[in-house]
Amino acid sequence: MVGLAAAFGSGAMTNSIAEIEDADCIFVIGSNTTSSHPLVATRIFRAIAKGAKLVVADPRKIQLALKADTHVRHNLGTDVALLNGMMHVILKNNWHDQQFVEERCEGFEEFKQLIDNYPPEKVAEITGVSADDIAKIAEYYAKAEAASIIYCMGITQHTTGVDNVKSLANLAMLTGNMGKESTGVNPLRGQNNVQGACDMGGLPNVYSGYQAVNVIDNQTKFESAWNAKLSDQIGLTIPFMLSGLSEGTLKALYVVGENPMVSDPDIGHVEKAIKNTEFLVVQDIFLTPTAELAHVVLPGTSFAEKDGTFTNTERRVQLLRKAIEPVGESKPDWEIIQEISNRFGYEMNYESAEDIMKEISTLTPSYGGITYERLQGDGLAWPCPDKEHPGTKFLHKDKFARGLGLFHAIDYQPPAEVVDDEYPFWLSTGRVHVHYHTGTMTRVSPTLHAEIPEGKLEMHPEDGERLGVRQGEKVKVASRRGEIIAKVILTDRVDVGVVFMPFHFVETCANVLTNPAHDPIAKIPEFKVCAVKVEKAA
Amino acid sequence: MDYKTVLTTCAYCGCGCGLYLEVLDGQAIGTIPSKTNPINEGKLCVKGWNIHEFVQHPKRLTKPLMRKNGALVETSWDEALDYTVSRLKEIKEAHGSDSIGFFASAKVTNEENYIIMKFARAAVGTNNVDHCARL
Ligand code: SF4
């Protein structure tokens, strides 16, 4: 999100899900949409039926790739080079939107100079995609009347994640595919309420609505509304909290509904950090591996037992309604925190989730017009600044949130860990269609569990033959950080020299292997690429 | 027999499909897609169709747990909350507000995320709040 905010001034999906079906070209990069966001994939299929071109850039032969006009399998971690190569072709052929660039953007000259250094022949060497294919996908995207970019974790989970996103922003601005129907740069958020957790200030540097904690006006506004003295020091991100725990500078950790013992890279390091915590509270609905290490576990409720709102990936705020009574003695998470706060000596008196939304809307400009009454029906997409505002379908219509759109000149950097003689395979991680995140909910669901009960390693049949492993046999997968045993699926979904593993499963936990090296700005760990060796298990 | 359907929002991915939970005598027994929701227009994926299955699963936590003599054992809300608050206070006093960290959550509601960050910032006095958006 940091990348988009730097280019446009806002980090959210620029356009709505429904608009996708009217795009003339859809460029999907680093998103296994049919698995992770099935109902977005539906819109892509409808667009194809209406005649749209589909371009897929993904190292794996994902399901969407079978429907694509062109599928390119660029080497893992070479997204920036691929995009720069496309933009080189676009500029060379004058397919860019000169008027849009001049009137709506800045930073173009420096960017243009850098793009000069990425002729398709050179990019072909880095990415493994032919110069012809680079030219072809550039043409599809640039010549379309309305072209939409869709991306997900395949773009952000790299040490160069922010660079990748800025490059996508460059591509959209260069071709004028911004601020119009069925265009834009559209990140699909992973977990269901990632957008809402960000919007609500579940981040170390901002209050709700992205109001920075180190801006004095914001600080005084929240100090008077909350009647408390607030800190203007930006807080720690999760990777820094974990190293603080290991080093003993952070003493207590309060975890709500997260399971870092399965979700975070380099589990060995996480386990050490969590075990070193002087006081660990976990609030969740199941006894997760993280909760098992806690000093206190507080039972929260599921989405079915409470009122509230979620904000989906297209910024639409929608209602949850209580359908059943809380299981056992469990309580909605806001009630638990309120009780803790009152005992702590900071008074909170909310009677309902709706009460809390009333406070949110007075303090958060983009949610200013959001009330439970107005959310009955289809919900509202922010920004929705006042009670009359109908919500916002697509962003940056006449000008960007930051004023002018900013081009960034971005050079290609190789991934933090590359294959070598000892660790000759690229390992990539991701999701499968029936499971969700660390599997705490989906894996207790009999139907979903029966579909895919365990995590298996995908490997190309040629590699399987070379290692002498057959379909379903067990292999040992090791990286510089740890090793796991898993069964093999031989499939050409992955390329020769690449293996893939879903991350939902605690028994075959792919994150034992992954690299905690993270992007210097967004602090997203490099889940998508690391080097491993694979051998037949004894 | 008391049967009802309750319109709500799917909690399994960022699409945010609208669905009805079918409730029979207080048990969530099924899922029906909303036909008018602008995102899913009457469809759901395999996760959405089965989302009622985890809700009242026997493995759900039903009581607060506290570590006593090395093991997590069931306890009362009062004891769990009082103990939590006293430990947080002690640590804040001994090591300062920034020795405490919070993981908010992409799985809980907006209102809950707001309350978590308000508690961290206004009551404890730290900006050490983050969640797995990055993941
Ligand atoms: S039904 Fe499927 S696509 Fe829709 S929100 Fe739920 S998980 Fe996502």
Side-chain angles (χ1 to χ4, degrees):
Chain A
M1 303 311 114
V2 187
L4 280 192
F8 305 147
S10 166
M13 191 165 164
T14 60
N15 290 59
S16 67
I17 292 172
E19 286 168 60
I20 294 168
E21 70 176 80
D22 292 312
D24 303 296
C25 175
I26 300 169
F27 179 29
V28 178
I29 181 163
S31 156
N32 188 359
T33 327
T34 53
S35 275
S36 300
H37 297 88
L39 269 293
V40 171
T42 303
R43 302 288 176 164
I44 298 176
F45 291 132
R46 282 196 207 161
I48 296 172
K50 292 184 188 180
K53 290 262 187 289
L54 174 66
V55 173
V56 174
D58 201 299
R60 287 175 82 216
K61 196 189 281 178
I62 54 174
Q63 200 180 359
L64 266 189
L66 307 176
K67 289 271 179 188
D69 292 274
T70 303
H71 171 213
V72 297
R73 301 173 89 162
H74 54 305
N75 294 333
L76 284 169
T78 62
D79 305 85
V80 166
L82 179 72
L83 295 165
N84 282 352
M86 287 172 69
M87 292 188 278
H88 184 101
V89 174
I90 290 169
L91 278 164
K92 199 141 195 202
N93 290 288
N94 267 315
W95 294 332
H96 62 293
D97 185 338
Q98 187 67 31
Q99 194 189 351
F100 187 89
V101 169
E102 278 170 17
E103 289 173 4
R104 301 276 313 265
C105 309
E106 60 185 340
F108 182 64
E109 284 310 317
E110 199 192 330
F111 156 80
K112 195 175 159 201
Q113 272 173 18
L114 178 121
I115 294 296
D116 256 359
N117 306 330
Y118 287 87
E121 298 70 31
K122 176 175 159 189
V123 171
E125 263 170 45
I126 303 172
T127 60
V129 177
S130 73
D132 282 352
D133 274 351
I134 295 167
K136 187 156 72 174
I137 63 177
E139 181 168 3
Y140 282 155
Y141 178 80
K143 286 197 167 169
E145 186 68 23
S148 173
I149 297 172
I150 294 174
Y151 73 90
C152 190
M153 310 285 191
I155 277 290
T156 51
Q157 287 181 349
H158 288 284
T159 46
T160 56
V162 171
D163 283 354
N164 291 349
V165 174
K166 285 178 178 167
S167 299
L168 291 173
N170 285 342
L171 178 62
M173 288 189 289
L174 182 64
T175 51
N177 277 305
M178 283 299 303
K180 293 188 299 193
E181 290 263 348
S182 304
T183 64
V185 183
N186 297 300
L188 302 179
R189 316 301 304 258
Q191 299 186 68
N192 67 304
N193 201 29
V194 177
Q195 187 65 52
C198 292
D199 295 350
M200 290 302 110
L203 293 168
N205 58 335
V206 290
Y207 301 111
S208 59
Y210 307 94
Q211 303 175 79
V213 295
N214 56 357
V215 168
I216 184 74
D217 286 354
N218 298 337
Q219 192 187 338
T220 45
K221 169 178 156 182
F222 279 89
E223 282 185 339
S224 74
W226 288 351
N227 195 16
K229 177 90 193 71
L230 299 174
S231 162
D232 61 357
Q233 297 297 307
I234 290 175
L236 301 175
T237 60
I238 287 180
F240 285 100
M241 284 195 237
L242 292 173
S243 38
L245 292 170
S246 296
E247 287 153 18
T249 48
L250 197 71
K251 304 286 180 190
L253 187 64
Y254 196 121
V255 177
V256 181
E258 296 277 11
N259 188 13
M261 284 294 292
V262 179
S263 67
D264 280 32
D266 191 0
I267 293 297
H269 167 76
V270 178
E271 185 169 348
K272 184 170 157 250
I274 298 280
K275 285 190 170 154
N276 201 37
T277 305
E278 197 178 311
F279 183 58
L280 175 65
V281 186
V282 174
Q283 197 168 303
D284 211 317
I285 59 175
F286 291 108
L287 191 66
T288 62
T290 309
E292 279 171 20
L293 299 174
H295 300 94
V296 177
V297 181
L298 303 172
T301 58
S302 78
F303 81 111
E305 294 140 78
K306 61 191 171 193
D307 294 325
T309 57
F310 286 150
T311 303
N312 80 350
T313 191
E314 55 166 7
R315 296 171 278 105
R316 186 187 299 272
V317 184
Q318 302 190 100
L319 283 174
L320 289 193
R321 294 180 185 81
K322 179 176 169 180
I324 56 167
E325 288 305 315
V327 169
E329 294 179 20
S330 66
K331 296 181 192 209
D333 293 280
W334 67 266
E335 284 187 35
I336 302 174
I337 304 275
Q338 168 158 300
E339 288 204 31
I340 295 227
S341 193
N342 285 332
R343 286 168 205 240
F344 197 84
Y346 180 80
E347 211 180 314
M348 292 190 187
N349 296 303
Y350 305 103
E351 304 224 318
S352 63
E354 185 173 6
D355 255 5
I356 303 172
M357 183 52 85
K358 283 182 188 149
E359 179 173 321
I360 295 170
S361 66
T362 61
L363 289 170
T364 314
S366 52
Y367 279 65
I370 289 179
T371 64
Y372 274 31
E373 203 180 356
R374 293 190 71 201
L375 292 178
Q376 309 291 336
D378 295 348
L380 285 164
W382 65 260
C384 177
D386 60 62
K387 302 271 184 305
E388 273 69 53
H389 196 285
T392 305
K393 189 166 156 193
F394 57 89
L395 300 177
H396 316 301
K397 184 158 183 254
D398 298 311
K399 72 180 190 30
F400 285 98
R402 77 177 285 279
L404 291 173
L406 178 61
F407 279 101
H408 291 87
I410 311 272
D411 250 326
Y412 162 70
Q413 311 271 359
E417 187 171 89
V418 294
V419 292
D420 56 21
D421 288 346
E422 204 188 345
Y423 298 96
F425 283 95
W426 294 103
L427 169 76
S428 181
T429 66
R431 290 161 202 267
V432 292
H433 67 290
V434 289
H435 289 299
Y436 173 65
H437 207 55
T438 66
T440 46
M441 301 194 284
T442 48
R443 295 197 61 211
V444 298
S445 174
T447 313
L448 299 178
H449 182 75
E451 282 275 317
I452 300 187
E454 62 182 317
K456 292 184 185 166
L457 185 81
E458 292 184 2
M459 175 185 267
H460 195 277
E462 278 178 30
D463 286 327
E465 199 168 307
R466 212 160 36 78
L467 296 175
V469 283
R470 280 180 309 220
Q471 195 71 273
E473 283 187 335
K474 283 191 176 155
V475 289
K476 186 168 93 183
V477 192
S479 75
R480 289 185 174 80
R481 290 156 294 277
E483 59 178 56
I484 57 172
I485 304 277
K487 285 186 193 156
V488 153
I489 303 179
L490 298 175
T491 168
D492 68 354
R493 271 196 298 273
V494 290
D495 241 335
V496 175
V498 178
V499 289
F500 172 86
M501 178 104 207
F503 67 76
H504 315 279
F505 302 90
V506 68
E507 316 83 287
T508 52
C509 189
N511 285 330
V512 167
L513 308 168
T514 48
N515 191 350
H518 43 67
D519 184 288
I521 305 169
K523 311 286 189 304
I524 300 184
E526 184 142 66
F527 285 111
K528 287 291 169 186
V529 192
C530 75
V532 295
K533 61 182 166 194
V534 183
E535 56 196 51
K536 198 166 165 173
Chain B
M1 285 216 308
D2 177 32
Y3 173 82
K4 62 177 178 178
T5 58
V6 180
L7 178 61
T8 189
T9 304
C10 181
Y12 269 152
C13 92
C15 291
C17 296
L19 55 82
Y20 292 86
L21 279 179
E22 293 182 280
V23 180
L24 181 65
D25 293 334
Q27 294 290 311
I29 54 159
T31 307
I32 304 172
S34 157
K35 292 186 180 126
T36 55
N37 182 289
I39 299 146
N40 54 312
E41 299 178 326
K43 295 191 184 59
L44 292 174
C45 80
V46 60
K47 281 176 282 186
W49 275 114
N50 293 291
I51 197 163
H52 59 280
E53 285 186 355
F54 86 87
V55 170
Q56 285 154 313
H57 192 278
K59 283 193 185 157
R60 276 280 303 269
L61 290 167
T62 56
K63 279 179 163 242
L65 307 175
M66 251 174 79
R67 193 166 296 279
K68 291 181 181 167
N69 300 322
L72 282 172
V73 292
E74 289 188 349
T75 180
S76 69
W77 271 107
D78 265 335
E79 191 181 3
L81 294 174
D82 283 338
Y83 179 67
T84 301
V85 169
S86 70
R87 291 294 285 135
L88 290 177
K89 275 188 170 161
E90 272 166 34
I91 289 169
K92 179 179 165 174
E93 243 141 66
H95 306 282
S97 303
D98 289 331
S99 66
I100 302 175
F102 290 82
F103 286 11
S105 174
K107 288 191 277 199
V108 305
T109 64
N110 290 332
E111 290 77 1
E112 289 166 337
N113 275 293
Y114 178 85
I115 288 302
I116 294 162
M117 77 100 187
K118 181 175 178 180
F119 176 67
R121 293 185 157 123
V124 175
T126 182
N127 285 317
N128 290 340
V129 193
D130 199 6
H131 71 282
C132 293
R134 302 157 205 287
L135 307 185

